[in-house]
Amino acid sequence: MTATLDQPVPVRTKTITRAHLVDAVPEAFRKLHPRHQLRNPVMFVVWAGSSLVTVCTVTDPSVFTISVTLWLWFTVLFANLAEAVAEGRGKAQADSLRKTKKDAVARLVNGDVVAGTELKIGDLVVVGAGEVIPGDGDVVEGIATVDESAITGESAPVIRESGGDRSAVTGGTTVLSDRIVVRITTRPGESFVDRMIALVEGAERQKTPNEIALTILLSTLTIIFLLAVVALQPFAIYSGGEQSVVVLTALLVCLIPTTIGALLSAIGIAGMDRLVQRNVLATSGKAVEAAGDIDTLLLDKTGTITWGNRRATEFIPVGPTSHEKLVAAARLASLADETPEGRSILELAGGRPATDHEKTGEFVPFTAQTRMSGIDLDGRSIRKGAASAFELTETARGVVDEISAQGGTPLVVAQDGEVLGVIRLSDVVKPGMKERFAELRAMGIRTVMVTGDNPLTARAIAEEAGVDDFLAEAKPEDKMALIRKEQEGGRLVAMTGDGTNDAPALAQSDVGVAMNTGTSAAKEAGNMVDLDSDPTKLIEIVEIGKQLLITRGALTTFSVANDLAKYFAILPAMFAAIYPALDRLNIMHLATPRSAILSAVIFNAVVIVALIPLALKGVRYRPSSASALLRRNLLIYGLGGIVTPFAGIWLIDQLVRLVPGIG
Amino acid sequence: MSPLVAGLVQAGILVAALAVVYRPLGDHMARVFEHKSHSKLEKAIYRFARIDPDAEQKWSTYAYGVLGFSLVGIVFLYVIQRLQALLPFGFDRGNVGPAMAFNTAISFVTNTNWQSYVPEAVMGHTVQMIGLTVQNFVSAAVGLAVAVALIRGFVRHQTDRLGNFWVDLTRGTIRILLPIAFVFAVVLIALGVTMSLKSGVDVDGQTIANAPVASQEAIKELGTNGGGVLNANSAHPFENPGEWTNLVEIFLILVIPVSLTRTFGRLVGQHRQGYVLLSVMATIWTAMLAVIWGAEASGLRPLEGKELRFGIAGSAIFADATTGTSTGAVNSLHDSYTGLGGGGALLNMLFGEMTPGGVGTGIYSILVMAVIAMFLAGLMVGRTPEYLGKKLGRKEVTAAAVSILAMPAVLLVGAGITAILPSTRGALNNPGAHGLSEILYAYASASNNNGSAFGGITATSDWFQSSLGLCMLFGRFVPIIAVLALAGSLAAQKKVPVTAGTLPTTGPLFASLLTGSIVLVAALTFVPALALGPIAEALQ
């Protein structure tokens, strides 16, 4: 199998493709079943209202009542469509994931061969080159390269080995070379891939805490409007202008928050989907919401904030070697070295590229056996590599030890076996980190760098990176204590981790993102797994969590703000016949009462479709202070929500008034 | 001085007087409820009632206290009205009928003080003094207690204790309401309000009804009650003889609800949290004053239904104060106001009595609205919503929603049924849009526990007595239970620390958000009904 096949996470540029829509339409009709509608109180009222109006229309049909009835049903269908489109995007991913669940056969250590579906926790399975790993587990023996593209979409193979922090393997991935023994850690049907499928399909989707609270608020608004409309009939009768059921239902549907009600579940599904697109799997939607609330972010220094010791910062000659000679040798040894270390050495040595003569030399690549690389040129063999690969003089040993003690990494340079000197590799902060931390600060999130370095080194890096605080010489239990302390103060803490000793802290933190390269223990303990094993992704996860809430809040505001214009459209249409003065409220100059009511109903339905892309993509989130965010969103969705329907209803009325029997 | 300038001077004096007492009274009230020790009088009361004043209560126990105390109050008021003929100072006014006694008992216990009776013809001094006036004090103290319990919900953390209802009730009555009411009863007497145990005075051979007016008048306004001992209420020269008493009474109406924002700020440890609520209350109150005053000043018959000694300004300020605070006392006939002016008074009640609202009820109602507003705002900034360091989740939103839902629900159901009852036409003075305004006003007044009468409606039929009674009952106690439940779930939470990501609730942004929420909720709920009443009237 090639690495590019079966990629479950295609890069999508469009929010909705034509295929999504076509697939979603029949699903939208299937969702008309009352059992489905009951899950959403707002849309259930629309559904019930549409049914009621249908009965009225059958008994007393007219162009007006038929049009209103149709558009009320469209309102329900559009809501279903939004949900179906959101689910459809997940289904495509689930399907490609399912393909990875081949009927793997498991070879147990004792020689028995069983079906992958019959494995028990603790079984030891042998997997050779070209074979599919039959279940999730930890490598207990051997080392192998594994193709994980089926899960991660990343085509480059990864190394999995027993012991250490790279022991976890996932069922459905393929061993490319060598042979490993895996201890199975999950039951069939509960594996990582199974969970992932359930997640992207939304089958296990439960409403998140904030979603439940919002649903309660929306239901309350619906009840208030239901009362207001029901009570309006007696007032109308008193005033001598009894209204038809069709008109009252139209008013009700226009007033209750259908826009947010229709899009609410699509927003939730799309939020999870956005995480999956970034190769992050969350065990629950609750964790995603919690990510938006994070107050403190614990970040490991190495790999997250810094590249590790990968930049040459100093040449230290040893013995009689001159500085120039060391620099020249170091340059030659690094000419063909494409690693960041190699390039940084060239840079420090002056940056001259290889001459034609130098290119005639024979480059010696780095191997795990020799642990050095270099060049054979003009009969000289120049090498650079790990200190342990060379025989060191006492002076050289001293330099090497000193660099190590200061938190750097020494790289020894030798010519024909004679040590010339040492290159100091220092830790460097990844580019752009300072800006990201500033963003986080603007969002109200405090960053704490966790490192095993001594406090002095830690402080220097912390200042350079712009984190708010650091924890130096940190042991796993220190990390745990820090999380507890933060949580006692009421703060929510997020962290990333990969090792088994990270597991307790991952479990304790409110949002624990385990690296996919990590151990099973770490992956079990966290509530998210990052398939790319990129610790900086935590920042994106926080943004996705916030975006999810913002989208809900913004569309709720928009939905409620819309009502103002609808009052101006519908109330004069209903009552200008009794009180002609009320026609002064018809500021949109809608043609007739029928066209006014129908236009409002159509606007109400169409706005759902118009906002599906926004619901799926999420409201744009730019890190800034809470006040700035609120001001911006109130302006766009509050004020915009007031103005838009005036324009929309007026425009629709221009068309609707042309329909005979309406205008 | 032109009437406009005179009116502005009155408003200026009012604002200045409120500003002077704002801090001392607000701080005093905070201390009253924070204080650890009990006075001798209080200890005697607790011993007599067998209350352990240091035993704090859970929200449910606190709510049982409120409900039990109120139920006893209703039953007692009902019984003494029904047995009035046996009581002294009855002046042969006889027993009160069952429907009227039911309505009146609920009315005074719920701090509504809607009066379907003519006081000087129906109630004797005994029922007035040991029944109605007592409720004038304790119903206001109940409001204070519930407000304090909610504030404690925000202040405390990880506890299920909200304080002791009996202690809060006793302290509110003895340390806040009684002393202020006493002082101002004396002030009112000095300014010409009458005080007599006789049933009337003879003037030129004509008997004019009289009563212990001043003592009732002070607490009537101070406790945002509004039920007068004379039918004409604060339009009567014995209750409100002139401009100065008028100003004093308006001051008394506003003083506690306004100062409670200071109490709130002090208790939550940040005065600005209180000031911002005050600014919201003041903004809406002032805007409504402008509407009512402007509408009346430009009406066809500006002085119709108003006392000449108060004029348009004195009447408009009083009307705005009484409808904005759930007081319900009147010094002019709101029924005679213009469509817009009367509609303004009606809308003032429909805001849910939080601008500034009744004693205690105003601050807890606006806090409930702040919870709803902050819930939406919190979502819009991408964090689980919080207010004053407490997360607003399922429980909190449910409690706030129930509290907000109660008033429109009972109002619309009550007014809706009334509008189509055949008997209604006979009870209305006016047909058409104005008639509907009268119905809406009555049910808004009852459901909001205001008690203000638009007039123009004869609300003595069994239907009105019982339906308005039920509106008052549900309009009062459903929100109270919900508010206490809210307090309980807030107090149980941890305190969320303030970080750079916290949405500040002290600035103009929050103030506009809250103002917008109050106006929008009322407008969206009631515009359809108002369209057929005051709006139709005003546009004609």
Side-chain angles (χ1 to χ4, degrees):
Chain A
M1 129 182 180
T2 61
T4 48
L5 269 183
D6 293 340
Q7 281 199 14
V9 194
V11 176
R12 278 189 299 257
T13 46
K14 284 178 83 174
T15 318
I16 311 169
T17 63
R18 184 183 298 256
H20 283 138
L21 268 179
V22 171
D23 290 346
V25 170
E27 192 56 33
F29 278 94
R30 260 195 294 278
K31 285 174 187 285
L32 283 176
H33 196 285
R35 196 181 47 221
H36 181 85
Q37 296 294 324
L38 267 173
R39 289 169 45 191
N40 184 336
V42 179
M43 291 318 293
F44 179 72
V45 170
V46 182
W47 182 89
S50 307
S51 307
L52 181 67
V53 165
T54 308
V55 175
C56 298
T57 305
V58 169
T59 53
D60 178 25
S62 74
V63 177
F64 172 68
T65 54
I66 292 171
S67 316
V68 170
T69 311
L70 278 176
W71 278 100
L72 289 182
W73 280 115
F74 280 141
T75 313
V76 184
L77 280 172
F78 291 162
N80 292 348
L81 189 74
E83 195 180 83
V85 168
E87 285 172 350
R89 303 204 309 169
K91 281 217 175 70
Q93 289 173 337
D95 288 343
S96 58
L97 276 172
R98 254 195 209 97
K99 286 187 201 149
T100 69
K101 289 191 60 181
K102 299 173 189 109
D103 296 323
V105 178
R107 265 191 299 135
L108 298 180
V109 188
N110 59 21
D112 291 352
V113 175
V114 298
T117 51
E118 285 168 21
L119 284 171
K120 295 184 293 294
I121 291 176
D123 280 349
L124 292 174
V125 191
V126 182
V127 192
E131 290 179 337
V132 174
I133 298 170
D136 295 357
D138 282 322
V139 180
V140 291
E141 192 187 315
I143 172 167
T145 47
V146 178
D147 174 8
E148 292 195 338
S149 61
I151 309 292
T152 62
E154 173 59 56
S155 56
V158 294
I159 291 177
R160 291 286 177 262
E161 60 186 340
S162 63
D165 288 345
R166 291 191 297 173
S167 62
V169 288
T170 309
T173 56
T174 310
V175 172
L176 293 179
S177 70
D178 301 296
R179 166 188 173 279
I180 46 173
V181 176
V182 175
R183 182 192 289 120
I184 299 298
T185 52
T186 54
R187 263 181 282 275
E190 293 171 16
S191 72
F192 196 62
V193 174
D194 291 311
R195 288 208 317 244
M196 199 160 152
I197 291 173
L199 201 71
V200 294
E201 275 196 324
E204 280 181 10
R205 202 181 93 81
Q206 287 176 331
K207 285 185 179 163
T208 52
N210 281 318
E211 196 179 351
I212 293 173
L214 179 56
T215 307
I216 291 168
L217 185 66
L218 295 178
S219 307
T220 310
L221 281 171
T222 306
I223 295 171
I224 290 184
F225 287 124
L226 191 63
L227 283 166
V229 171
V230 169
L232 189 56
Q233 180 73 315
F235 298 150
I237 293 172
Y238 165 92
S239 310
E242 188 174 348
Q243 298 295 312
S244 71
V245 173
V246 176
V247 169
L248 286 173
T249 310
L251 175 64
L252 175 66
V253 170
C254 286
L255 293 183
I256 61 176
T258 47
T259 314
I260 180 66
L263 297 172
L264 192 56
S265 74
I267 295 169
I269 296 168
M272 289 296 262
D273 192 56
R274 276 200 296 283
L275 266 191
V276 175
Q277 278 179 52
R278 284 170 178 75
N279 272 353
V280 177
L281 293 185
T283 50
S284 70
K286 204 174 158 182
V288 186
E289 273 190 358
D293 290 346
I294 290 305
D295 298 297
T296 308
L297 210 53
L298 298 195
L299 294 169
D300 283 328
K301 185 200 79 177
T302 309
T304 310
I305 297 173
T306 67
W307 296 113
N309 289 334
R310 302 187 75 174
R311 180 192 272 171
T313 50
E314 192 181 4
F315 295 114
I316 308 165
V318 173
T321 317
S322 72
H323 190 264
E324 287 69 32
K325 186 175 180 190
L326 172 63
V327 172
R331 176 179 165 271
L332 283 174
S334 306
L335 278 176
D337 189 350
E338 286 301 320
T339 62
E341 295 92 328
R343 270 175 280 140
S344 78
I345 293 170
L346 272 186
E347 210 175 289
L348 189 68
R352 259 183 316 120
T355 61
D356 287 341
H357 170 67
E358 283 163 354
K359 279 182 186 159
T360 61
E362 192 189 331
F363 295 109
V364 181
F366 180 87
T367 66
Q369 281 77 38
T370 59
R371 279 171 293 150
M372 57 175 79
S373 63
I375 190 170
D376 289 338
L377 183 68
D378 304 333
R380 288 181 295 162
S381 96
I382 300 169
R383 297 286 183 276
K384 71 166 199 293
S388 56
F390 298 92
E391 269 184 38
L392 300 177
T393 61
E394 201 153 307
T395 340
R397 166 69 52 203
V399 173
V400 162
D401 288 348
E402 197 197 321
I403 292 175
S404 300
Q406 289 167 353
T409 300
L411 213 54
V412 173
V413 182
Q415 182 174 329
D416 300 325
E418 183 205 344
V419 173
L420 299 178
V422 186
I423 307 171
R424 182 201 294 271
L425 294 181
S426 300
D427 213 351
V428 274
V429 173
K430 290 181 181 177
M433 289 316 279
K434 200 156 193 154
E435 290 72 27
R436 298 218 85 173
F437 293 137
E439 274 181 17
L440 286 167
R441 206 165 300 118
M443 286 152 70
I445 297 171
R446 216 167 65 92
T447 42
V448 181
M449 180 182 88
V450 180
T451 173
D453 290 347
N454 62 56
L456 218 63
T457 316
R459 178 180 303 279
I461 299 276
E463 271 168 19
E464 193 189 339
V467 292
D468 297 302
D469 203 353
F470 63 90
L471 185 66
E473 289 172 351
K475 296 182 288 294
E477 53 269 31
D478 297 336
K479 212 169 180 178
M480 188 73 176
L482 179 67
I483 295 175
R484 287 238 170 86
K485 200 184 98 208
E486 292 283 321
Q487 286 175 334
E488 265 162 33
R491 293 186 169 83
L492 263 60
V493 183
M495 67 168 282
T496 57
D498 51 7
T500 300
N501 55 18
D502 281 333
L506 278 170
Q508 177 71 32
S509 61
D510 299 283
V511 174
V513 183
M515 300 293 105
N516 192 42
T517 53
T519 60
S520 304
K523 282 155 88 173
E524 280 299 316
N527 41 21
M528 289 188 199
V529 175
D530 177 19
L531 299 175
D532 298 338
S533 305
D534 169 13
T536 51
K537 209 177 276 172
L538 203 46
I539 298 171
E540 284 170 59
I541 295 173
V542 168
E543 291 187 354
I544 291 174
K546 287 193 178 293
Q547 207 186 19
L548 186 64
L549 295 192
I550 293 176
T551 308
R552 286 193 197 126
L555 289 183
T556 304
T557 308
F558 183 82
S559 199
V560 175
N562 269 207
D563 283 358
L564 196 70
K566 292 168 186 167
Y567 273 140
F568 276 97
I570 298 182
L571 287 180
M574 288 171 90
F575 298 122
I578 334 170
Y579 298 114
L582 284 178
D583 199 45
R584 283 161 63 185
L585 295 180
N586 182 10
I587 53 174
M588 287 172 271
H589 298 293
L590 307 176
T592 64
R594 287 184 303 275
S595 81
I597 293 168
L598 187 59
S599 300
V601 171
I602 294 176
F603 175 82
N604 193 54
V606 168
V607 82
I608 296 173
V609 179
L611 289 174
I612 290 179
L614 183 70
L616 298 187
K617 260 196 316 219
V619 168
R620 203 161 55 107
Y621 171 73
R622 210 189 279 144
S624 47
S625 75
S627 294
L629 267 177
L630 180 63
R631 204 171 298 123
R632 178 174 179 274
N633 287 327
L634 272 181
L635 210 65
I636 298 178
Y637 298 96
L639 205 60
I642 290 176
V643 176
T644 313
F646 279 103
I649 292 173
W650 179 82
L651 264 176
I652 294 170
D653 184 72
Q654 298 304 309
L655 298 174
V656 163
R657 63 170 68 187
L658 305 175
V659 179
I662 302 286
Chain B
M1 230 183 327
S2 78
L4 178 68
V5 175
L8 289 175
V9 168
Q10 287 181 46
I13 295 171
L14 178 67
V15 170
L18 288 170
V20 166
V21 297
Y22 180 70
R23 284 184 185 199
L25 179 59
D27 291 348
H28 168 70
M29 290 193 285
R31 278 192 301 269
V32 165
F33 292 107
E34 269 182 328
H35 216 262
K36 292 273 177 271
S37 60
H38 315 285
S39 71
K40 274 190 188 149
L41 174 61
E42 286 164 0
K43 278 185 191 157
I45 293 173
Y46 301 143
R47 217 171 303 128
F48 175 74
R50 303 193 176 187
I51 291 161
D52 174 3
D54 298 314
E56 295 227 333
Q57 299 168 327
K58 289 191 285 202
W59 81 262
S60 48
T61 317
Y62 204 101
Y64 286 133
V66 173
L67 295 179
F69 179 74
S70 302
L71 180 69
V72 169
I74 291 171
V75 171
F76 177 74
L77 270 191
Y78 181 82
V79 170
I80 59 170
Q81 287 180 81
R82 301 285 292 130
L83 301 177
Q84 179 168 250
L86 306 175
L87 302 171
F89 295 109
F91 311 115
D92 299 326
R93 287 172 188 170
N95 294 335
V96 182
M100 188 175 279
F102 169 82
N103 183 287
T104 306
I106 292 176
S107 175
F108 277 75
V109 171
T110 55
N111 197 254
T112 313
N113 307 46
W114 169 268
Q115 293 168 295
S116 61
Y117 58 92
V118 177
E120 50 269 54
V122 176
M123 297 296 170
H125 293 349
T126 307
V127 171
Q128 180 65 46
M129 288 193 296
I130 68 162
L132 304 184
T133 304
V134 169
Q135 283 302 332
N136 273 246
F137 281 93
V138 293
S139 67
V142 166
L144 276 177
V146 174
V148 166
L150 178 60
I151 296 171
R152 288 190 187 122
F154 283 108
V155 175
R156 297 181 176 187
H157 48 94
Q158 288 159 295
T159 176
D160 61 352
R161 304 290 143 167
L162 289 177
N164 186 312
F165 167 67
W166 307 108
V167 172
D168 294 335
L169 175 72
T170 311
R171 289 186 179 182
T173 311
I174 294 181
R175 301 195 194 182
I176 297 172
L177 297 169
L178 270 172
I180 304 177
F182 180 80
V183 169
F184 278 92
V186 174
V187 169
L188 288 172
I189 291 172
L191 290 171
V193 177
T194 61
M195 186 76 190
S196 164
L197 279 178
K198 297 212 178 83
S199 65
V201 286
D202 286 329
V203 180
D204 299 337
Q206 205 184 353
T207 305
I208 301 175
N210 201 358
V213 178
S215 60
Q216 164 61 19
E217 195 65 22
I219 189 62
K220 178 187 104 178
E221 319 293 12
L222 181 69
T224 59
N225 292 291
V229 284
L230 301 168
N231 194 40
N233 208 300
S234 291
H236 196 292
F238 287 0
E239 287 204 13
N240 192 1
E243 300 97 320
W244 282 106
T245 52
N246 196 48
L247 258 185
V248 168
E249 289 180 16
I250 297 171
F251 168 81
L252 283 175
I253 288 173
L254 294 170
V255 70
I256 290 184
V258 164
S259 303
L260 274 172
T261 57
R262 169 78 185 184
T263 312
F264 167 74
R266 187 180 158 119
L267 287 175
V268 299
Q270 211 184 344
H271 287 306
R272 295 181 60 190
Q273 298 286 1
Y275 298 155
V276 76
L277 296 186
L278 178 64
S279 76
V280 172
M281 293 170 168
T283 305
I284 298 182
W285 191 83
T286 310
M288 292 315 294
L289 176 63
V291 169
I292 297 171
W293 190 348
E296 291 316 295
S298 56
L300 274 179
R301 294 178 298 274
L303 281 169
E304 183 192 320
K306 298 180 187 71
E307 296 296 311
L308 286 174
R309 63 185 187 280
F310 307 136
I312 295 168
S315 303
I317 300 173
F318 199 105
D320 191 31
T322 192
T323 50
T325 55
S326 90
T327 305
V330 284
N331 75 349
S332 55
L333 188 62
H334 294 179
D335 194 25
S336 294
Y337 278 28
T338 58
L340 187 59
L346 172 56
L347 187 59
N348 232 354
M349 295 192 281
L350 296 179
F351 286 138
E353 298 296 15
M354 53 184 90
T355 58
V359 169
T361 61
I363 190 99
Y364 73 62
S365 302
I366 203 168
L367 285 172
V368 164
M369 195 53 97
V371 164
I372 297 287
M374 282 306 284
F375 177 76
L376 260 190
L379 289 183
M380 274 194 282
V381 301
R383 278 166 74 98
T384 292
E386 60 190 66
Y387 179 47
L388 298 170
K390 295 299 172 78
K391 299 240 178 205
L392 309 175
R394 181 179 55 82
K395 281 187 195 166
E396 292 75 22
V397 170
T398 309
V402 168
S403 172
I404 286 189
L405 194 55
M407 182 273 285
V410 290
L411 193 167
L412 289 167
V413 169
I417 297 174
T418 305
I420 45 170
L421 281 183
S423 59
T424 301
R425 301 264 166 185
L428 296 174
N429 282 2
N430 301 77
H434 195 67
L436 189 65
S437 297
E438 288 170 349
I439 298 174
L440 288 171
Y441 197 99
Y443 283 88
S445 178
S447 308
N448 280 295
N449 300 127
N450 184 290
S452 156
F454 206 42
I457 188 166
T458 310
T460 46
S461 73
D462 285 354
W463 162 252
F464 277 113
Q465 296 284 29
S466 48
S467 66
L468 289 171
L470 292 175
C471 283
M472 293 186 262
L473 203 60
F474 289 113
R476 168 84 163 178
F477 293 109
V478 173
I480 282 184
I481 296 169
V483 162
L484 289 172
L486 174 64
S489 65
L490 290 172
Q493 289 185 32
K494 279 188 194 169
K495 198 142 184 93
V496 183
V498 174
T499 67
T502 310
L503 189 61
T505 51
T506 48
L509 185 64
F510 172 73
S512 359
L513 178 77
L514 185 54
T515 310
S517 304
I518 295 170
V519 173
L520 203 68
V521 167
L524 293 182
T525 313
F526 296 112
V527 157
L530 293 177
L532 293 172
I535 297 178
E537 276 185 78
L539 289 177
Q540 265 157 15

